[in-house]
Structure formats: C-alpha cells, structure tokens
Amino acid sequence: MSSHIKKPAVAQKHPGSAAPELKQSLVEHLTYVVGKDVLTATDRDWFFTAAYVARDRLTGRWMETMQNYYARDAKRVYYFSMEFLMGRTLVNNLLNLGFEQEYREVLAELGVNWDKVRKIEDDAGLGNGGLGRLAACFLDSLATLDLPGYGYGIRYEYGMFRQRIENGRQVEHPDNWLRYGNPWEFPRAEVLYQVKFHGHVVKYSDEHGVERSHWVATDDVMAMAYDTPIPGYGTHTVNNMRLWAAKATRDFDLRYFNEGNYIKAVEDKNESENLSKVLYPDDTTAMGRELRLKQQYFFVCASLQDVLRRYEKFHDDFDALPDKVAIQLNDTHPSIAIAELMRILVDVRHLEWDKAWNLTTRTFAYTNHTLMPEALESWPVAMFENILPRHLQIIYEINQRFLQDVMHRYPGDPAMLRRMSLIDEDGGKSVRMAHLAIVGSHKVNGVARIHTELMKQTIFADFDRFYPGKIVNMTNGITPRRWLNQANPLLAELISSRIGDDWKKDLDQLKRLIPLADDAAFRAEFAAVKRANKERLARSLKHQLGFEADPDSLFDMQIKRIHEYKRQLLNLLHVVTLYNRIRHDPDADHVPRTVIFGGKAAPGYFMAKLTIKLINDVADIVNNDPHVADRLKVVFVPNYDVSTAEELIPAADLSEQISTAGTEASGTGNMKLAMNGALTIGTLDGANIEIRDAVGEDNIFIFGLTAEDVTRVRTAGYRPWDYCQANVELREVLDMIGSGYFSADDPDRFKPVVDTLLRYGDYFLLLADYASYIDSQKQVENAYRDQGQWMKKAILNVANMGRFSSDRTVMQYADEIWDVRQMASPE
Ligand code: 26V
C-alpha cells in the first residue's frame, strides 16, 4: 500500500542504477553474513540481510561525519538520557537514506514479503513513554539538521516490559529484545571505562599544601560502549548514539584464581553486570532504589569520561570546555553528572573550585518533564553516601556556596534557604536532584508554554526569582519523518502530490495545504486516505484480537501510559454514558463509535492496572450487548509501543488529550495524532494549548477547567459529591461501575475506582470536568455527521502542525541553549 511513495532527493541522484548492485549485495550478505541461501532463508534471515546491507551504506557517511566534526573541532551537544525509545530502525534508516523503494522492489523480485520482513524487527523499547520517545525524535532531528549531536544512554538488556492482557488484566513479560542480536549496534570492546562505587574519601595535602580528596577502596564496574549510527533524512550526516553496557572488571577474573571460590567469584561478576540489565518501568513515582541511582551514575560517569577524552584530543586545558561541549540533561536522571564533572575537575585535575564551577555550569542545561511532585527525584542521604560518598561531599559544598549567595540576596529568610536547599531536611534527609540540576546548569527548560509558566510559578518559583532568565521554554516536537512520512505513507504521498516533498525537512510547508481544505476533490482524497488507514487498522485488530471494528464508525483513541492524571477513567465515564444513552433510547440516531485504548501501567501502580481491567470489563459488556448493535465498541490494544503507535495513529479520527489542566507537561501523542488528521478533544493543558492556537479553535474540541480554575476549585474546597448529585447520568454511571454491572463475577472489583472519586476527593477532578466533557463529545458527534466539514477540520489540523516538528524544537535548543551550529559534512 505504500508502493507509490516518492524517493527523496538523495536517491534520485542515480536513478535506477543501484538496483542490480543492491540485489547482488543482498544475496551476498544472505550467503556470507547470515549463512543462508534464497531457498532456505526465513523472514528473519531476510530482515538481518536487509539490515546489514543498509548498515553498510550508513557506515561510510557515519565515519565521514565523525571525521568532519573532528577535523573542525566542532562544538558538540551531548544528549544525556536514561531512555531512548527508538522503536524499529530498518524502514526509518532506509527512508532517511532514500533507499526504501529500491529495497522493496529488489526484495519483491527475490520473492520476499517486505511487510512481514520489516515487522520481524523487535522495537528498541529503551524507554517508558514521552521522555524517551522525545529523545529519539531529537536524535532524528539533530542528524537531519546536520547538527553535531550525540546520544548517550544505557544499553538495557531488557527494555520496557511487554504487556499481555490475560483475563482483562495486564501481565508483564520480559522484553528480551536482543535475543536474536541487534544488527544496528557496533560493540566497541576497546571503548571501556571504569566506574567506581562505594568506598570512602581520603583527605590529603598535595605538594602545594592544598587539601585534596581522593575516593578510594571502591567497588568497580566497567562500562563498554555500543554505538548505533543515526542517519539524518536526506543528508549525508550520520550521528552516533552511544549506549553503555556493564561488564565486570578484570578483578573478578583474578579472584577466581586467588580465592579458590570460583562459583562465588562468577556470581559476583554476574551481579556487577546486572547494572544495565533492565529499564525501570515506573515513571510515576521516584523510588529511592539503589540500583536506579547506580544506573544513573554508571552511564553518566562513562559518558563524561568519553566526552572529556574527545575534548582533550584538541585541548590541553579546560578553559574552552563550554565552547566545545554542551550537555543536555534529559530530566534529573543524569543530573549526578554535575557533581561528577566537579569531582573530575577538582579532585582529579586539580582545578580551583570556582573555576571548575564556572566551567560546569556553562556546560550543562537541564530539561524538566514533569511537575508531579512524586516523580521528582530525591535520594536518601544515607544511601547516597554509601554509593557515592565523594559526590555527596561535593553536593554539600555546592549547596553551602549556593545558600551563601541566597543568604546574601535574601538576608534573614531561613524559610527561603530551607526551600531552595539541595538537601531536603524534612524527615529523613534527602538530596533534591532537581535543585542540583538547576543550580548546576546555565539554562533550565520546560517542554510547553504552560508547563514552563507553571514551573516558574510553582515548583521552581524561588529559583526563577533568584536566577531571572535561566528558566526558558522549549515546546516539544516530533519527527515528521517517522510520525507522518513513515507511519502514514498514503497521507505523505497525497501531501507530496500537491505541495511536493520539501515538507519532510521543512514542516511549515504544510501551510500550503490550507487552501486545499476547501477543495472538494482534495477533501475526498484525504477522506479516502483516512478510510484506507482505518481499514488497515480494522484488519489488524481482527487478525490480532478477533475484534471487529467498523471503519465507518468514529475511531476515538486514547493511547498513552495509564496514569490517573491522564484520566483514562474520564474517557470510560463517557463510554458508559454513551452506552446508557443507547440502551435508554435505542432508536435514536447515535453516531457509531469505536473507542480504542492503548497503554501500559507501571507494574506496581494498583489504580492504573485496575483501570485496564475496567476498560476490558466494560468492553466485554458493551461489545456483546445486542441493544447496542455495534453502535458503540470498546477495545484495548495490548502492548502499546512505538510500532503499535505507528499503526494506530494514522487511523484515528479523534485524539483524546484529557489530562487535568496543569498536569501534562506537554504531551507529544497529541502532536502525532493531529499531524495525521485526527481532531483533538482536550483540556487546556500542555501543548494542547499551543495546538489550539495553531489549528484554530474551530478545529479542536476544548473542554473543562483551566489550570487556574483547577487551583481555584481545589483551594476553595472541591466537593465531588455535589457534581454527582447534580448529574443523573453521572450518578447512573458511577452506580453501575461501583455495584458490579461490569463485574458480575466480582461485584466489588471496581469499588476502589468509585471510592477514589467520591470518598477520597477525586484529586484529578474527573467529576468537575464530566459535564463539560460529555457536552464536548456531543459536539464531536455533531461535527462528525458532516463528513465534508470534518475533513476540512482534519486537513486544517495537518496543515497547521508545522510548528510541532522536532526540527523546530531542536533548532531552538541549538540557538538558545547549546550554541551549536549546523555543519553538513562534505559528500
Ligand atoms: C520519571 C521517572 C521517575 C523516577 C523513576 C523513573 C522515571 C522514569 C521516567 C520518568 C519520566 C516521567 C516524565 C515524563 O515522561 N514526562 C513526559 O515527558 C514528555 C516529553 O517532554 C511530555 O510530553 C509529557 O507530557 C511528560 O509527561
């Protein structure tokens, strides 16, 4: 179905000439690398063959790119992130190189089923959700913009768990994504750094009588590099993502001989290699878990050694460090890097504190991704001291100097000192990583306009006053290569047929579609694309789940992590309301709707897991009720991941972005759906606000309390019961859920759900927003009845999404935070 997509400029330089070579290359790789012939090759064999051939075509450019940065001693940006949610790579790389069509044709000639082969690839699911996927989109934009940008992170052996639904409940299974090997990575056995833990600090006087610290008697682990090339779209640039795997030190080998306790020695070795074993799947609460802090320090320590090694090839002092190195901290997870750089500069390289601090703060910048207090990291001091004793001392020193400054500015305000301190002294002492990140960075950014404003007004208000101008906004974006060109080839082709191909690198070009929103022929073609995508999804749902979705029905999607603040439950209240309306008035003209949910719950998050069960139990009843007669259907799509998103998003009519105002920092799914022609129903939260500004209020369904309203309602004393009393439909819905209408086998199953709303205060104000949401959904229905007008709105959404390209976001970081420059490598 994607067979008409145009070749990007790169491939058109030598039209047709590569095909015979490609065929030869594929057959040779199949034979000599994979060890199979055309007769015996499985789909997996072909996947690896195709991947290796593609990889070969990247490596030349990759080396040239690195050599060019080196030759020009370019300022580089290093994106430090615990998570990179890359998804599949094969098609992305082929499209970026401009070879996809050629591959498909040649493989077809060889009798290979391309669609099956590309789906053999396991997602690289090295992330939880938005934060990890943003990192992946940024890497694509950095390379596409010819910016010298490197990703640094952890090569988890097990990524995000695979979700299966058993008896309506989430069951987690390990994600053994490396089982068959990863064709995209290059292991670098020689790029190996020592990482220390535990031990203690020895003070001594150096030859000049200066007191110095030495961190000794440590337990050590080695970090080994694995490199993955990151090609830009339609450019020669191929950047690098370097992920670290933990390896035991040689010490363990020696211990085998010395201790005679061979088995114990091998056990210890395994334990130290556990560091990079598994991604933490909880993005809800910052647990004070030792292994997590160790993972953070592990990758930060190795990455900084690597960055400094590269810097020192050209420089014999550190004066120019901030002119050559920018490090972006993706949330506080890598913020220990600030203390680590200070340790290296002061303890190891013997720089003076003030000088080291100046260089450090000019090097780092920090992105905040959430206002949720429970997700803000703070490590118990005792644990910190045990794992990183020297870093704790350095943090104390940073804190002491910082609080001195605060005291100077605000004399006689001990409350202020307590609030701003890097150490939380309430209860058990702990280290506030966000405060370290702010104090140690020259820029701090939020990820959408409202999020940045709220940061400045709430959690970081003191810091905003103390450091005017340090906190800035960088509204998120998404890469249009993966989220439009790759995921939605039919729409990409339709767009290109009218405005050419340039939009893929310059998304503002989509504006040229605006006049076509009034063109009946274009609308019809646009509608046909949406229809084809809905049919494709319907086939897949039928095949995977035995679920029948009617492509004529309105496809209503909420796909994201399951969280109370994202309010999947509010969506369900609407579903049950619709169900009741159909039951009570079966002959009325109801707009047929298919409500699609997808998302993972943190394994220990009771309410999120119960929400999944409720979705599935409601689906069971609604989908099988003959009175409903298929006018309402509900489906939970298991194991929502990047690849599932690519399949779902192009088929959506309606995008549910219904978080309580003031809670969703930005959202990026909202951008992906709108860019694929779904209309948004949403609150004035996160980037929804900026999406509304871009697409116009006639082309989006906004409802509910604003962030200001939310604060007002909460301080005035919110009474969820009153809303329940005032609304018969709401009362009926809650009664049904609470009394076992959807869980006859266990009538009390969903009492906790109703209790959070009615007994425990409904913290996320679902009941306060219910009426407004239901009303807004009614407007959606009315709009959907007029397909011509609906398509016009959908086209205007696509046409106005240019601003939400991660190219725009990354260029803004480059100009306003990193001061790095575009640098195309010579072809
Ligand atoms: C938080 C934590 C807390 C500590 C334990 C492990 C862990 C792992 C991941 C996270 C990430 C939570 C923050 C996050 O993903 N924020 C999302 O970032 C997106 C990109 O900026 C943004 O669009 C979403 O609104 C925001 O929720």
Side-chain angles (χ1 to χ4, degrees):
M1 79 177 234
S2 53
S3 58
H4 318 292
I5 197 163
K6 284 207 177 117
K7 285 187 214 168
V10 192
Q12 286 167 344
K13 282 195 189 140
H14 315 286
S17 66
E21 285 165 44
L22 176 61
K23 195 179 219 164
Q24 192 188 345
S25 202
L26 286 165
V27 174
E28 274 178 20
H29 274 73
L30 179 68
T31 313
Y32 299 113
V33 181
V34 177
K36 285 288 188 80
D37 61 34
V38 177
L39 291 174
T40 57
T42 63
D43 287 336
R44 176 162 288 108
D45 295 328
W46 279 116
F47 163 70
F48 277 99
T49 302
Y52 282 124
V53 171
R55 197 179 87 161
D56 279 2
R57 295 179 170 211
L58 285 172
T59 44
R61 298 175 182 207
W62 189 25
M63 286 167 192
E64 282 160 23
T65 303
M66 296 300 129
Q67 284 158 14
N68 183 45
Y69 295 161
Y70 183 83
R72 298 164 70 162
D73 188 23
K75 178 167 185 180
R76 285 126 161 135
V77 56
Y78 298 103
Y79 201 78
F80 279 22
S81 179
M82 286 280 276
E83 305 189 3
F84 287 93
L85 192 43
M86 304 295 282
R88 291 186 183 127
T89 295
L90 178 59
V91 173
N92 179 258
N93 283 5
L94 293 177
L95 283 168
N96 279 16
L97 287 166
F99 293 144
E100 199 240 11
Q101 188 176 346
E102 202 186 329
Y103 260 63
R104 262 190 293 114
E105 287 167 6
V106 171
L107 286 168
E109 282 171 33
L110 288 162
V112 175
N113 181 337
W114 178 240
D115 218 46
K116 276 166 88 180
V117 165
R118 72 178 178 83
K119 288 182 179 166
I120 289 283
E121 183 173 5
D122 280 312
D123 273 36
L126 309 185
N128 271 279
L131 165 147
R133 182 55 229 178
L134 187 74
C137 285
F138 281 9
L139 293 186
D140 184 75
S141 285
L142 283 163
T144 299
L145 291 164
D146 302 315
L147 285 163
Y150 296 64
Y152 272 101
I154 298 174
R155 178 182 178 273
Y156 300 105
E157 216 172 300
Y158 293 85
M160 191 59 185
F161 67 80
R162 306 253 167 115
Q163 177 193 58
R164 286 197 208 145
I165 300 299
E166 292 175 17
N167 198 10
R169 292 183 190 271
Q170 167 174 301
V171 178
E172 301 91 21
H173 292 263
D175 167 41
N176 192 1
W177 72 294
L178 293 168
R179 180 178 38 219
Y180 299 102
N182 171 6
W184 306 110
E185 68 183 11
F186 290 77
R188 306 289 191 202
E190 77 289 0
V191 183
L192 202 62
Y193 295 102
Q194 188 179 42
V195 180
K196 304 185 202 184
F197 293 103
H198 305 296
H200 59 268
V201 181
V202 177
K203 303 266 183 206
Y204 67 98
S205 290
D206 71 7
E207 63 276 23
H208 309 292
V210 181
E211 189 188 72
R212 304 239 169 246
S213 296
H214 206 58
W215 181 19
V216 298
T218 50
D219 287 344
D220 300 344
V221 179
M222 304 305 291
M224 177 181 148
Y226 285 76
D227 287 345
T228 302
I230 307 289
Y233 181 86
T235 170
H236 208 74
T237 298
V238 178
N239 282 335
N240 192 25
M241 175 175 73
R242 177 161 279 185
L243 303 181
W244 302 103
K247 304 276 167 192
T249 60
R250 283 284 170 103
D251 289 358
F252 287 100
D253 301 344
L254 295 177
R255 267 184 251 170
Y256 302 165
F257 295 103
N258 298 341
E259 290 180 11
N261 192 348
Y262 173 76
I263 296 293
K264 177 76 173 74
V266 176
E267 279 173 5
D268 286 357
K269 182 179 162 91
N270 274 329
E271 199 182 294
S272 70
E273 293 180 355
N274 277 342
L275 263 185
S276 54
K277 193 68 75 182
V278 58
L279 167 78
Y280 273 89
D282 191 340
D283 63 356
T284 314
T285 32
M287 324 129 288
R289 291 286 297 277
E290 253 190 66
L291 181 65
R292 170 111 183 148
L293 178 59
K294 285 190 163 182
Q295 285 186 335
Q296 296 181 351
Y297 180 65
F298 165 75
F299 103 86
V300 157
C301 174
S303 306
L304 272 181
Q305 290 183 62
D306 203 42
V307 166
L308 292 179
R309 176 195 51 78
R310 193 171 294 125
Y311 171 82
E312 289 191 293
K313 280 189 190 162
F314 272 93
H315 303 270
D316 42 24
D317 63 34
F318 290 100
D319 290 2
L321 190 70
D323 304 321
K324 294 297 171 186
V325 173
I327 298 177
Q328 190 67 33
L329 302 171
N330 199 21
D331 216 298
T332 56
H333 315 154
S335 58
I336 187 63
I338 291 164
E340 172 67 1
L341 182 58
M342 285 300 287
R343 189 186 68 81
I344 296 170
L345 295 180
V346 174
D347 291 359
V348 185
R349 303 309 182 90
H350 294 188
L351 264 64
E352 280 176 24
W353 182 280
D354 289 332
K355 169 106 193 178
W357 184 244
N358 175 279
L359 296 173
T360 296
T361 53
R362 287 162 59 210
T363 299
F364 287 105
Y366 152 59
T367 306
N368 171 280
H369 294 270
T370 180
L371 301 168
M372 306 292 277
E374 62 271 30
L376 294 179
E377 292 188 299
S378 96
W379 300 103
V381 161
M383 185 184 107
F384 207 105
E385 185 166 29
N386 174 256
I387 298 174
L388 299 170
R390 179 57 186 146
H391 295 80
L392 184 65
Q393 292 176 349
I394 289 169
I395 288 168
Y396 278 148
E397 179 75 31
I398 294 170
N399 197 34
Q400 202 194 335
R401 290 163 183 257
F402 167 63
L403 292 180
Q404 285 284 335
D405 292 349
V406 177
M407 212 152 28
H408 267 106
R409 280 271 292 283
Y410 307 101
D413 192 346
M416 172 83 82
L417 295 181
R418 228 175 302 118
R419 287 202 307 272
M420 296 182 80
S421 174
L422 307 202
I423 306 297
D424 183 352
E425 308 269 355
D426 290 345
K429 279 205 209 182
S430 61
V431 185
R432 291 165 166 156
M433 299 308 273
H435 294 200
L436 173 64
I438 297 171
V439 173
S441 296
H442 64 286
K443 283 278 157 47
V444 174
N445 76 281
V447 291
R449 201 202 302 144
I450 185 180
H451 168 61
T452 303
E453 282 312 307
L454 289 173
M455 271 169 65
K456 294 204 270 187
Q457 288 163 23
T458 64
I459 53 173
F460 302 148
D462 294 325
F463 290 95
D464 186 46
R465 243 175 306 130
F466 189 72
Y467 298 120
K470 190 187 267 201
I471 302 181
V472 297
N473 179 243
M474 297 284 140
T475 296
N476 282 167
I478 60 173
T479 171
R481 271 75 63 182
R482 182 175 293 261
W483 296 111
L484 183 49
N485 191 40
Q486 177 181 321
N488 199 342
L490 294 179
L491 183 55
E493 190 199 358
L494 174 61
I495 293 170
S496 295
S497 75
R498 301 305 167 95
I499 66 169
D501 256 349
D502 292 353
W503 60 271
K504 295 175 189 176
K505 288 187 79 142
D506 175 12
L507 203 64
D508 286 324
Q509 293 283 330
L510 292 178
K511 285 245 186 287
R512 294 167 55 202
L513 296 171
I514 291 173
L516 294 170
D518 289 311
D519 174 335
F522 184 76
R523 276 190 203 169
E525 284 184 68
F526 188 91
V529 165
K530 183 58 81 180
R531 169 80 195 195
N533 288 328
K534 288 169 77 173
E535 284 170 0
R536 178 182 75 160
L537 176 60
R539 278 195 301 275
S540 160
L541 293 175
K542 174 76 190 156
H543 175 76
Q544 273 185 71
L545 307 170
F547 178 84
E548 305 255 7
D550 175 4
D552 281 330
S553 67
L554 188 165
F555 278 18
D556 173 348
M557 277 187 206
Q558 189 170 18
I559 44 179
K560 52 183 78 248
R561 285 299 289 263
I562 314 290
H563 270 294
E564 284 162 291
Y565 84 81
K566 294 177 189 282
R567 302 200 295 190
Q568 279 90 0
L569 184 54
L570 179 60
N571 187 340
L572 268 180
L573 297 182
H574 172 247
V575 167
V576 177
T577 304
L578 283 185
Y579 175 56
N580 290 339
R581 285 184 181 175
I582 294 171
R583 288 192 306 140
H584 299 329
D585 189 1
D587 300 327
D589 180 18
H590 302 280
V591 171
R593 207 191 264 252
T594 303
V595 184
I596 299 167
F597 290 90
K600 293 176 183 175
Y605 190 169
F606 171 78
M607 204 43 84
K609 291 185 121 177
L610 192 58
T611 302
I612 292 176
K613 176 64 173 159
L614 180 57
I615 293 168
N616 284 307
D617 282 1
V618 167
D620 257 358
I621 299 290
V622 169
N623 297 348
N624 296 306
D625 187 332
H627 301 104
V628 173
D630 291 354
R631 284 171 295 183
L632 176 62
K633 286 200 152 194
V634 182
V635 62
F636 187 91
V637 180
N639 199 42
Y640 182 63
D641 59 7
V642 171
S643 289
T644 313
E646 288 174 41
E647 218 180 307
L648 290 170
I649 289 170
D653 293 308
L654 186 65
S655 160
E656 299 271 354
Q657 307 300 335
I658 60 177
S659 52
T660 313
T663 63
E664 187 71 273
S666 162
T668 46
N670 47 4
M671 300 169 189
K672 291 161 200 165
L673 284 151
M675 207 177 277
N676 282 276
L679 304 197
T680 302
I681 182 165
T683 47
L684 287 175
D685 197 18
N688 298 352
I689 297 174
E690 290 159 77
I691 292 174
R692 178 204 56 180
D693 293 350
V695 306
E697 55 190 346
D698 292 346
N699 303 309
I700 189 167
F701 301 91
I702 296 292
F703 72 93
L705 302 176
T706 63
E708 285 173 4
D709 295 336
V710 166
T711 317
R712 206 161 13 81
V713 169
R714 279 183 183 152
T715 42
Y718 170 54
R719 294 156 52 100
W721 254 108
D722 297 353
Y723 292 89
C724 190
Q725 292 302 319
N727 192 314
V728 227
E729 284 193 294
L730 175 56
R731 217 177 325 139
E732 185 182 9
V733 169
L734 292 177
D735 278 347
M736 288 164 76
I737 294 172
S739 67
Y741 188 98
F742 301 105
S743 55
D745 56 324
D746 177 6
D748 290 341
R749 180 177 299 140
F750 299 115
K751 259 179 77 64
V753 170
V754 177
D755 283 350
T756 44
L757 302 180
L758 294 179
R759 286 163 63 105
Y760 304 123
D762 182 18
Y763 184 74
F764 294 105
L765 304 174
L766 279 72
L767 303 194
D769 274 347
Y770 171 85
S772 164
Y773 180 53
I774 299 294
D775 182 63
S776 190
Q777 287 282 18
K778 188 85 215 165
Q779 292 173 36
V780 169
E781 272 174 27
N782 292 336
Y784 193 75
R785 286 176 208 276
D786 185 342
Q787 278 293 297
Q789 284 303 307
W790 183 277
M791 289 306 151
K792 174 175 177 172
K793 291 176 197 291
I795 294 164
L796 289 173
N797 268 262
V798 177
N800 287 299
M801 288 305 289
R803 178 154 180 268
F804 301 96
S805 167
S806 47
D807 296 347
R808 187 270 310 149
T809 312
V810 161
M811 253 345 270
Q812 218 171 327
Y813 275 88
D815 290 340
E816 296 170 31
I817 299 181
W818 304 329
D819 194 29
V820 295
R821 276 168 244 296
Q822 291 175 284
M823 185 168 293
S825 50
E827 307 232 342

